[in-house]
Amino acid sequence: MYKNDSKGFTYSASDLVVYMRSPFDTWMTRFSLERPDLSAEIEQDKDEMMGLLAQKGNAHELAFLESLKEQYGVDNVACITADREIAAGQTLEAMKAGVQVIFQGFLQRENFAGYTDFLVRCEGQSGLGDYHYEVWDTKLSKSTRPYFLLQLCCYSWMLERIQGRLPENTVVVLGDNSKDSYRVAAYYSYFQNLKKYFLEDQKYFKADFIHRPDPMLCDPNSSWRSYAQQLLTESDSLALVANIRKTQVKQLQKMGVNSLTELAQTKLDFVKGIAPETFYKLKAQASIQLASRGKEKPLYQVLKDDNGKGLS
């Protein structure tokens, strides 16, 4: 997200992905833009591995671009290289010209904007004529992940404004150059609902710590993860208990158990929604960690759902 000339904010498809994975990270990003004076005091993490992955991702994208030029011819592939003030017009011109592939096409709709990896021409009536475009995205992954499709639905929604129709399909080009095609309609309702909640949170955003989301769900790959750990430690959060899950935290909080110390010292023998054996293990783990304080530093952990999968 970034501040635009109208003193509002412009969002990207990636902002929706961050919001889906961690409202805390979204809040911190907005806070850093609203209050740079305060956010400057919060040190952010730097991840060299993410930088290397980005470089590999760019190489994969460019290699696929070259393969498309070989397939369709250089003259039938438009590369948009201008900044966003000019790129939108160049993208529209290329679409009206009907070129087969548009690389780095710039799309915008309402308060969302962004560059797509590829817009690929396909048959089917639209406001452009007897053809339209669908969104293709390159990823290093060996398989398609749900958040890939969220991004592609967002780009497809932005594309609809230009060509007058929502593309039926979208394609993920994986790290081995295989292509996974998906129907946009199958994921579109989820995208629309998430976008609705995201925009509501942005509309009523308040740059004060009272309204900051719970840091226990911070994305472990976030640049704010050390700050989230600091907040969890200061509040003695239940999220510090090793192997505890999100639903278990919620069930404990319903019973008035709101911290690691309270869990270690609770007289409760049963908590609804948590198996007795599991509750005993969590309480014992909290007791061990409480007793060991001062001997070791707590480690940031990813809270897990009921399937044991990380919430990221």
Side-chain angles (χ1 to χ4, degrees):
M1 68 178 70
Y2 60 88
K3 285 188 175 182
N4 54 45
D5 295 338
S6 62
K7 296 184 179 180
F9 285 85
T10 298
Y11 310 108
S12 68
S14 296
D15 288 328
L16 286 180
V17 172
V18 172
Y19 180 72
M20 176 185 71
R21 300 173 70 169
S22 171
F24 173 81
D25 288 68
T26 297
W27 190 92
M28 288 300 302
T29 299
R30 175 70 181 269
F31 177 75
S32 68
L33 295 172
E34 296 273 15
R35 294 299 306 272
D37 55 327
L38 295 179
S39 61
E41 300 176 1
I42 303 173
E43 185 175 353
Q44 296 189 52
D45 298 287
K46 296 180 180 179
D47 195 329
E48 294 182 2
M49 181 59 67
M50 294 301 292
L52 291 174
L53 288 174
Q55 291 179 13
K56 290 185 177 181
N58 291 336
H60 174 43
E61 181 183 88
L62 292 175
F64 185 67
L65 171 63
E66 291 305 311
S67 71
L68 291 175
K69 288 180 179 179
E70 291 180 7
Q71 181 178 356
Y72 297 111
V74 175
D75 293 339
N76 213 12
V77 177
C79 297
I80 309 301
T81 58
D83 57 27
R84 55 179 176 255
E85 285 76 16
I86 301 174
Q90 291 183 343
T91 302
L92 179 58
E93 290 176 5
M95 292 176 69
K96 288 181 176 179
V99 298
Q100 186 61 42
V101 177
I102 303 172
F103 175 60
Q104 289 291 293
F106 185 78
L107 304 177
Q108 53 189 353
R109 182 173 183 176
E110 297 174 12
N111 41 5
F112 279 84
Y115 290 89
T116 60
D117 284 358
F118 300 93
L119 298 175
V120 179
R121 174 174 167 159
C122 52
E123 300 303 316
Q125 197 70 29
S126 75
L128 301 169
D130 59 358
Y131 64 92
H132 66 284
Y133 288 87
E134 60 186 25
V135 185
W136 290 26
D137 206 22
T138 54
K139 300 293 184 183
L140 287 176
S141 175
K142 295 180 180 179
S143 61
T144 298
R145 300 176 183 177
Y147 72 86
F148 296 171
L149 300 174
L150 173 61
Q151 286 179 300
L152 291 169
C153 280
C154 187
Y155 287 130
S156 297
W157 168 72
M158 287 190 272
L159 181 58
E160 180 187 27
R161 184 189 70 84
I162 300 176
Q163 63 185 16
R165 64 165 290 178
L166 192 70
E168 292 183 8
N169 301 300
T170 189
V171 175
V172 179
V173 183
L174 298 171
D176 60 0
N177 287 320
S178 61
K179 303 177 184 67
D180 283 354
S181 180
Y182 296 88
R183 292 185 61 80
V184 173
Y187 307 93
Y188 200 67
S189 293
Y190 179 81
F191 153 70
Q192 290 279 42
N193 285 332
L194 186 69
K195 177 166 67 70
K196 173 185 175 183
Y197 292 127
F198 170 82
L199 290 174
E200 285 180 353
D201 278 1
Q202 294 304 307
K203 180 180 180 180
Y204 298 107
F205 178 86
K206 293 184 179 180
D208 59 67
F209 295 127
I210 296 176
H211 294 86
R212 181 181 57 206
D214 196 326
M216 74 176 180
L217 297 181
C218 176
D219 190 320
N221 295 317
S222 165
S223 61
W224 305 105
R225 61 186 180 275
S226 291
Y227 180 56
Q229 176 65 61
Q230 175 188 329
L231 296 175
L232 293 174
T233 301
E234 291 173 352
S235 65
D236 192 26
S237 171
L238 283 168
L240 298 173
V241 180
N243 299 318
I244 198 167
R245 296 179 179 177
K246 175 185 176 183
T247 53
Q248 294 165 349
V249 170
K250 290 183 177 180
Q251 294 300 328
L252 287 166
Q253 289 173 336
K254 288 179 181 178
M255 298 297 294
V257 179
N258 297 297
S259 69
L260 181 149
T261 300
E262 289 178 0
L263 175 58
Q265 299 175 348
T266 184
K267 302 299 183 182
L268 294 173
D269 296 317
F270 173 78
V271 172
K272 183 179 180 180
I274 302 178
E277 182 181 354
T278 300
F279 174 65
Y280 173 80
K281 289 181 179 179
L282 291 174
K283 183 178 178 180
Q285 179 61 43
S287 297
I288 292 172
Q289 289 180 231
L290 181 62
S292 67
R293 282 191 171 163
K295 300 177 182 179
E296 61 182 18
K297 295 181 180 180
L299 298 176
Y300 188 87
Q301 66 168 7
V302 181
L303 287 189
K304 297 180 179 179
D305 59 21
D306 287 335
N307 296 317
K309 296 180 179 179
L311 295 176
S312 61

